[in-house]
Amino acid sequence: MILTDFLPAPWMRSPHVQTIVPSFLPARAVAGPVQTLDVPVAAGTKIRVLVSRPPSRPRGTLLAIHGLSGSAESGYMRRTAAQAHASGWAVARVNLRNCGGTEALSATLYNAGQSDDVDAAFRAIEAGGLPRPYALLGFSLGGNIAMRYAGLSGSACRADRVFAVNPPVDLARCVDAIERSGNALYHAYFTRNLCAQLRRIRRLRPVPGPEAKAGTIGGVRGFDDRFTAPDAGYESAADYYRGASASPTLSGLKREALIISAQDDPLVPVSMFDAVRAASPHLRFVHPARGGHCGYWGARPPRFWAAEAALTFFERV
């Protein structure tokens, strides 16, 4: 398969502009009605999946998973859904646990290792009559979840093809990158959002641990050490990063999979993929020179190149 290299809009050549600005640009909603599926994934816990069907019989079904601090309504999710829907695909957008206003549905926090939730989402859309082929697409942390699911499930993977956009398959290295001084803005953004989400959850149920304040929690690593790791049964943030990273699972891939990740991504170092390039004969990589972290705002329509690249890959199923 050949993908044309990404050509950024002339005014968006900086990795930071690519990473930040698209989140502030309008993203149109998918046309037509949206069906809501609340899917059980654990005791007292459900995830919400938003399903959009095209007016005629779908050519297949795309399951999309958002990244850290995102939701099914994030701009990149809406743009992808709109492009896929216009191309004749049914689209199912996953809200991870507690995301997208679903705090009341969950008894646990979300984390990068909850790949079993992907299988539950596929079972739900299959029971709802959504047709194959099934395409799985994950952005950032959602890309790690998607690749981890495909690697662990092997031949039992319900997706026919898997596509990940800038996935942090080595979580420890990505947190190291976020903690660099040049990434202080991103670090503050993620820490603030994680703490705000935890405060919303605590209005509904208790969560063990200290008060969640960005100024005292110690950043993303501190949040994971105090909240994410113990909630998921890990001993520490370091233990969580080892256990939830997709990289050790990729040798189990039995479905065609593609990772795209820009060489100038400030949060996911492209060098991390060197360790997994030969993990599976089913896994391939594309590394555009530019694009930032999940930005890919192109010089020509449709502007969101990552969605265009994913659909090109999926339509060859």
Side-chain angles (χ1 to χ4, degrees), residues 171-180 221:
L171 293 167
R173 288 196 60 186
C174 287
V175 173
D176 289 344
I178 289 172
E179 291 175 338
R180 290 199 299 257
R221 192 186 303 271

Side-chain angles (χ1 to χ4, degrees), residues 138-186:
F139 294 93
S140 193
L141 181 136
N144 181 81
I145 292 173
M147 297 303 299
R148 189 175 187 273
Y149 163 69
L152 287 175
S153 56
S155 298
C157 178
R158 296 178 190 270
D160 296 293
R161 280 198 169 188
V162 186
F163 192 100
V165 182
N166 300 62
V169 297
D170 184 333
L171 293 167
R173 288 196 60 186
C174 287
V175 173
D176 289 344
I178 289 172
E179 291 175 338
R180 290 199 299 257
S181 59
N183 286 331
L185 179 65
Y186 303 115

Side-chain angles (χ1 to χ4, degrees), residues 49 58-65 77 80-81 84 88-94 118-119 121-122 125-126 130-139 142 146-147 149-150 157-164 255-258 307 309-317:
V49 181
R59 65 192 304 171
T61 304
L62 168 62
L63 184 73
I65 310 172
M77 293 282 281
T80 299
W89 288 79
V91 183
R93 289 174 289 153
V94 174
V118 181
D119 195 65
F122 272 126
I125 64 174
E126 191 171 36
L130 288 163
R132 285 189 175 276
Y134 286 163
L136 177 58
L137 170 59
F139 294 93
M147 297 303 299
Y149 163 69
C157 178
R158 296 178 190 270
D160 296 293
R161 280 198 169 188
V162 186
F163 192 100
R255 301 286 185 267
E256 293 301 308
L258 178 64
L311 290 171
T312 298
F313 179 66
F314 293 143
E315 286 168 3
R316 295 174 181 264
V317 175

Side-chain angles (χ1 to χ4, degrees), residues 230-247:
D231 182 81
Y234 296 101
E235 293 182 357
S236 63
D239 186 35
Y240 161 54
Y241 298 151
R242 285 190 296 271
S245 292
S247 56

Side-chain angles (χ1 to χ4, degrees), residues 26-171:
R28 64 187 175 93
V30 180
V34 177
Q35 178 187 7
T36 299
L37 302 177
D38 288 343
V39 181
V41 292
T45 298
K46 296 177 181 179
I47 57 171
R48 179 161 290 168
V49 181
L50 306 181
V51 178
S52 302
R53 303 172 187 253
S56 57
R57 177 172 173 78
R59 65 192 304 171
T61 304
L62 168 62
L63 184 73
I65 310 172
H66 64 83
L68 184 68
S69 296
S71 75
E73 298 296 347
S74 294
Y76 53 86
M77 293 282 281
R78 288 165 65 103
R79 293 184 186 104
T80 299
Q83 287 178 230
H85 193 259
S87 297
W89 288 79
V91 183
R93 289 174 289 153
V94 174
N95 273 309
L96 297 174
R97 304 183 193 192
N98 301 293
C99 297
T102 66
E103 291 88 355
L105 297 180
S106 184
T108 67
L109 305 180
Y110 78 87
N111 69 70
Q114 288 165 341
S115 45
D116 287 349
D117 291 9
V118 181
D119 195 65
F122 272 126
R123 291 198 308 271
I125 64 174
E126 191 171 36
L130 288 163
R132 285 189 175 276
Y134 286 163
L136 177 58
L137 170 59
F139 294 93
S140 193
L141 181 136
N144 181 81
I145 292 173
M147 297 303 299
R148 189 175 187 273
Y149 163 69
L152 287 175
S153 56
S155 298
C157 178
R158 296 178 190 270
D160 296 293
R161 280 198 169 188
V162 186
F163 192 100
V165 182
N166 300 62
V169 297
D170 184 333
L171 293 167

Side-chain angles (χ1 to χ4, degrees), residues 199-250:
R199 290 194 297 271
R200 291 194 298 271
I201 294 169
R202 279 177 164 167
R203 296 188 191 113
L204 301 171
R205 64 178 179 86
V207 178
E211 186 177 4
K213 284 188 175 181
T216 58
I217 207 67
V220 171
R221 192 186 303 271
F223 184 94
D224 288 337
D225 209 35
R226 290 167 174 82
F227 301 111
T228 311
D231 182 81
Y234 296 101
E235 293 182 357
S236 63
D239 186 35
Y240 161 54
Y241 298 151
R242 285 190 296 271
S245 292
S247 56
T249 74
L250 297 178

